[in-house]
Amino acid sequence: MAEPLPSTRSRIPGSGLAKGLAVTLRTMTRKTVTEQYPDVQPDLPPRTRGVIGLFEENCTVCMLCARECPDWCIYIDSHKETVPAATPGGRERSRNVLDRFAIDFSLCMYCGICIEVCPFDALFWSPEFEYAETDIHELTHERDKLREWMWTVPAPPALDPGAEEPKEIAAARKTAEKLAAASAASAEPVEPSPERNQPTEPPAGPTEPEGGAS
């Protein structure tokens, strides 16, 4: 047979209210942590994912960001232009010219895939977050707005002081030091040898005896 359940102890009436009041009293004595937004702007982490800024000069209209976007919220339009030959007898080239670059932030899930796959560093994270709209259709921001957000992108963080120096920079620095040392050695004036500057004494003639000529 199953053992009977232990009898529950009777609670004191009003104990829950007393515990709630105790929590309230403890909270009232602590310093408030409420941020007075929007009068005081919050201190955001440097890697905050706010909005996406566009550096239009680096965009080659490769469409890689639009193809890899899982939400299909990037809209790109372009046209081709013919570039004349740079040298006589050369061939003309064609290039893509960006006409439209827009992001629908009502669909964007801020995964950052478009920024990661961009091979030409044309997209960056900006900590800007004040872009709310009253109409959902106005959350599709065109390239002019994306370019304005580009200037709010923080500078990249400094390298870890304990990290190893990149091989390319180390090789370039060593080469520069060798060239500087070689140029300094060639520019030093040649000091004359002290042996060459010693005055030459005339050759000694025949010595006379101490007593003089007899």
Side-chain angles (χ1 to χ4, degrees):
M1 296 178 60
E3 296 181 358
L5 295 175
S7 60
T8 58
R9 293 180 297 179
S10 60
R11 296 181 179 179
I12 302 175
S15 60
L17 178 61
K19 291 181 180 179
L21 291 175
V23 173
T24 303
L25 293 175
R26 285 199 305 268
T27 307
M28 290 175 60
T29 57
R30 294 176 183 174
K31 184 180 180 180
T32 179
V33 294
T34 303
E35 296 183 357
Q36 302 300 323
Y37 177 83
D39 297 332
V40 179
Q41 293 293 324
D43 187 12
L44 300 175
R47 298 182 64 182
T48 299
R49 295 188 176 187
V51 290
I52 299 173
L54 171 66
F55 192 57
E56 188 176 336
E57 286 76 7
N58 287 356
C59 182
T60 60
V61 201
C62 64
M63 306 293 291
L64 189 58
C65 57
R67 291 197 301 266
E68 296 295 332
C69 178
D71 291 335
W72 292 86
C73 63
I74 301 177
Y75 312 114
I76 300 176
D77 294 332
S78 65
H79 69 277
K80 290 185 177 294
E81 285 186 357
T82 302
V83 180
T87 57
R91 295 177 54 185
E92 295 181 347
R93 296 183 300 107
S94 62
R95 66 173 182 177
N96 292 324
V97 179
L98 184 65
D99 293 330
R100 185 194 182 199
F101 195 108
I103 300 178
D104 187 355
F105 284 98
S106 65
L107 297 176
C108 178
M109 64 180 185
Y110 305 92
C111 62
I113 293 178
C114 58
I115 298 175
E116 296 294 333
V117 301
C118 180
F120 302 104
D121 292 335
L123 298 175
F124 297 88
W125 276 120
S126 167
E128 184 68 30
F129 64 93
E130 296 178 323
Y131 58 96
E133 301 290 347
T134 57
D135 188 358
I136 193 174
H137 297 92
E138 297 179 0
L139 284 174
T140 301
H141 295 290
E142 301 292 335
R143 63 177 184 175
D144 295 337
K145 188 65 176 179
L146 301 180
R147 184 178 180 83
E148 291 179 8
W149 284 331
M150 181 62 205
W151 311 126
T152 63
V153 175
L159 297 177
D160 186 0
E164 296 182 359
E165 189 178 20
K167 296 181 180 179
E168 296 82 0
I169 298 179
R173 180 174 51 79
K174 290 180 180 179
T175 303
E177 291 176 355
K178 289 181 181 178
L179 293 175
S183 61
S186 61
E188 286 183 359
V190 179
E191 297 182 359
S193 176
E195 297 179 355
R196 298 179 181 178
N197 292 340
Q198 291 181 357
T200 57
E201 297 181 357
T207 58
E208 295 181 357
E210 295 180 358
S214 55

